[in-house]
Amino acid sequence: MNRIYFDHSATTPTSEEVVKEMLPFFTDIYGNGSSQHSHGREAGKYIDIARRQVADAIGAKPGEIYFTSGGTESDNWAIRGVLSGYKAKGKHIITTCIEHPAMIKTLESLQKNGLAEVTFLGVDSEGFICLEELKNAIRPDTILISVMTANNEIGTIQDIKEIGAIAKANNIIFHTDAVQAIGNVKIDVKEMNIDLLSMSAHKFYGPKGIGVLYRRNGIKLSSYMTGGEQERNMRAGTLNTPAIVGMGKAIEIATRDIDKNNKYVSELRDYFVAQVESKIDNVYYNGTKSNKRLASNANFSFEFIEGESLLLRLDLAGISVSSGSACSSGSLEPSYVLLATGRAIELAHGSLRFSFGKNNTKQEIDYCVQNLVKIVQDLRELSPLFLIKKGENKYV
Ligand SMILES: *Cc1c(COP(=O)(O)O)cnc(C)c1O
């Protein structure tokens, strides 16, 4: 049996259609998109097309799209760019405690160096922020509200339109890390009052190392990378034409197929969740079961088990999943996202994220559940806590 990939929130395979679109830009149309001669203008033409494809997908104008190296850079640029663009007004930023490390680590570092003051909003047991709390956190020197559209560990989707309206009513810039959302959640930046938005192609079947920061016209954002005059003098560096073309194609496909894919993937997810909950005891679903969640995501805590052990055993069985977020795996810290939802440390330690994609099948889910049931039982037989609970620990 082929290996099974249930980690689409970490990254997705680049679809063949996208790769095919990219290939000529390595060899035939290789000009520097900023050059004035024909070779350059030819490449530039396709960069313009991709820029429009991205803009169309989120209801923006092409001139509001800036290509970056990915979600991490876009998040960094949004924060740092607003801090220097709105220096005169203040340095207070409101965000949530479940943002991606690209946001959290950046903000913590700025705060430590005295360059920003940050309010990290908590979340409820399903991962939602409280809008009243958000309103109460606003100060005269608040320059930025940044709330992720969809969470990468538990899939919870925030009420972005409402949050955008609150920011707008208070004359504060609103940024959203939509890296998990693009291709899964319909986004219209105008309707949702979004001023800045981060996205990354490799999360929606595009290539790695390419992303976008959307900036609403008029938002004061300082340039991030200095050097050449690319991206209207805002982000220096030769444009990565193949990746940009691939990103344009990928977002066009993702937007076109969004309903079809969400239906297919959420049916797989629901089937998986039902199987796990009926066949394994002492499992806890993390996140929300309302429709305000990503179709692809299922995160469970398995009591009496270490997520890492479970991950490694599943890997041996040919199944790739994630414990916590990929970025923090290898560390022994339990997921800060699950802790924020109020999960006890032991349950946070025993969590796994399964994230499904459009190429997965029901057969793969069946195979996974079969193995999961067996492995969970094996690991629990080795767990002193489990045996104590069952009254079978001969060492007590
Ligand atoms: C993956 C991810 C990022 C980082 O994007 P890269 O392109 O890998 O740098 C940022 N935020 C969220 C929510 C993500 O899921």
Side-chain angles (χ1 to χ4, degrees):
M1 183 155 184
N2 287 332
R3 287 201 55 94
I4 295 175
Y5 187 74
F6 286 162
D7 200 11
H8 291 79
S9 293
T11 195
T12 56
T14 311
S15 73
E16 277 173 36
E17 214 181 332
V18 168
V19 173
K20 223 160 94 197
E21 198 84 3
M22 291 171 66
L23 284 177
F25 295 90
F26 290 101
T27 47
D28 299 339
I29 311 170
Y30 52 79
N32 183 326
S34 308
S35 300
Q36 290 171 350
H37 47 60
S38 303
H39 280 91
R41 287 203 309 275
E42 176 76 351
K45 192 173 84 192
Y46 289 98
I47 290 169
D48 288 346
I49 292 173
R51 199 185 299 284
R52 179 167 289 282
Q53 285 167 319
V54 173
D56 285 349
I58 58 169
K61 302 184 191 93
E64 296 174 318
I65 301 301
Y66 296 84
F67 290 107
T68 66
S69 64
T72 301
E73 184 186 326
S74 296
D75 283 347
N76 266 270
W77 186 6
I79 300 170
R80 297 173 195 274
V82 167
L83 273 171
S84 62
Y86 291 83
K87 243 194 334 251
K89 186 182 172 192
K91 57 178 181 179
H92 180 235
I93 296 175
I94 303 172
T95 187
T96 81
C97 61
I98 61 163
E99 298 295 309
H100 188 274
M103 293 291 305
I104 302 248
K105 294 267 173 76
T106 305
L107 288 165
E108 281 175 353
S109 146
L110 288 163
Q111 176 154 264
K112 203 167 135 234
N113 291 305
L115 300 169
E117 282 174 39
V118 188
T119 301
F120 292 94
L121 300 173
V123 294
D124 67 16
S125 62
E126 298 185 350
F128 295 105
I129 64 161
C130 165
L131 297 183
E132 279 312 305
E133 229 175 276
L134 167 64
K135 286 181 200 161
N136 291 334
I138 292 172
R139 314 192 317 208
D141 60 340
T142 305
I143 54 170
L144 178 67
I145 293 174
S146 179
V147 176
M148 70 199 314
T149 306
N151 181 265
N152 46 300
E153 291 191 37
I154 54 177
T156 304
I157 299 171
Q158 306 292 339
D159 195 346
I160 290 303
K161 190 175 171 184
E162 242 348 274
I163 297 167
I166 292 169
K168 190 177 180 186
N170 289 276
N171 203 16
I172 298 167
I173 310 297
F174 176 43
H175 165 255
T176 187
D177 174 341
V179 175
Q180 287 291 328
I182 298 292
N184 302 305
V185 182
K186 289 178 187 168
I187 290 183
D188 184 306
V189 290
K190 297 287 178 307
E191 189 194 315
M192 295 169 144
N193 294 304
I194 298 168
D195 296 312
L196 299 163
L197 175 146
S198 305
M199 64 168 96
S200 180
H202 75 96
K203 301 285 173 80
F204 51 85
Y205 304 93
K208 292 167 182 60
I210 186 76
V212 151
L213 181 66
Y214 150 80
R215 171 181 75 142
R216 182 193 291 274
N217 277 337
I219 300 299
K220 283 188 272 172
L221 191 76
S222 59
S223 71
Y224 183 59
M225 196 77 89
T226 46
E229 297 181 356
Q230 290 91 352
E231 296 300 82
R232 287 140 280 151
N233 234 340
M234 290 291 282
R235 198 276 189 186
T238 301
L239 290 167
N240 185 351
T241 320
I244 288 172
V245 168
M247 182 173 192
K249 188 69 185 172
I251 203 166
E252 186 185 273
I253 298 170
T255 312
R256 181 192 72 200
D257 294 346
I258 191 166
D259 290 328
K260 186 177 88 182
N261 286 343
N262 274 340
K263 180 166 186 295
Y264 179 74
V265 173
S266 64
E267 278 168 13
L268 283 183
R269 190 264 323 272
D270 291 345
Y271 177 67
F272 174 75
V273 169
Q275 294 283 308
V276 169
E277 290 185 336
S278 68
K279 294 191 169 154
I280 305 176
D281 292 330
N282 304 96
V283 293
Y284 299 86
Y285 185 88
N286 294 313
T288 178
K289 283 196 173 176
S290 75
N291 58 3
K292 292 178 182 178
R293 64 174 159 162
L294 293 175
S296 52
N297 186 289
N299 189 315
F300 278 110
S301 287
F302 299 85
E303 203 174 6
F304 314 115
I305 291 182
E306 289 288 341
E308 309 285 321
S309 321
L310 197 46
L311 180 149
L312 294 174
R313 291 285 298 271
L314 283 171
D315 187 48
L316 284 176
I319 305 161
S320 297
V321 302
S322 159
S323 71
S325 63
C327 323
S328 57
S329 53
S331 86
L332 291 173
E333 290 294 305
S335 153
Y336 61 89
V337 173
L338 294 182
L339 294 181
T341 65
R343 276 280 179 251
I345 290 183
E346 305 81 63
L347 283 178
H349 266 305
S351 72
L352 275 194
R353 177 187 71 188
F354 303 80
S355 46
F356 308 107
K358 61 183 180 182
N359 301 321
N360 287 137
T361 62
K362 195 154 166 279
Q363 285 75 9
E364 291 178 325
I365 304 250
D366 286 333
Y367 176 82
C368 175
V369 171
Q370 231 175 47
N371 279 276
L372 197 56
V373 169
K374 205 161 65 183
I375 295 169
V376 165
Q377 183 170 0
D378 284 358
L379 291 174
R380 282 182 177 165
E381 294 301 335
L382 299 170
S383 153
L385 282 173
F386 182 64
L387 296 176
I388 288 168
K389 182 165 170 183
K390 278 189 16 183
E392 283 180 13
N393 191 338
K394 40 188 183 301
Y395 305 108
V396 177

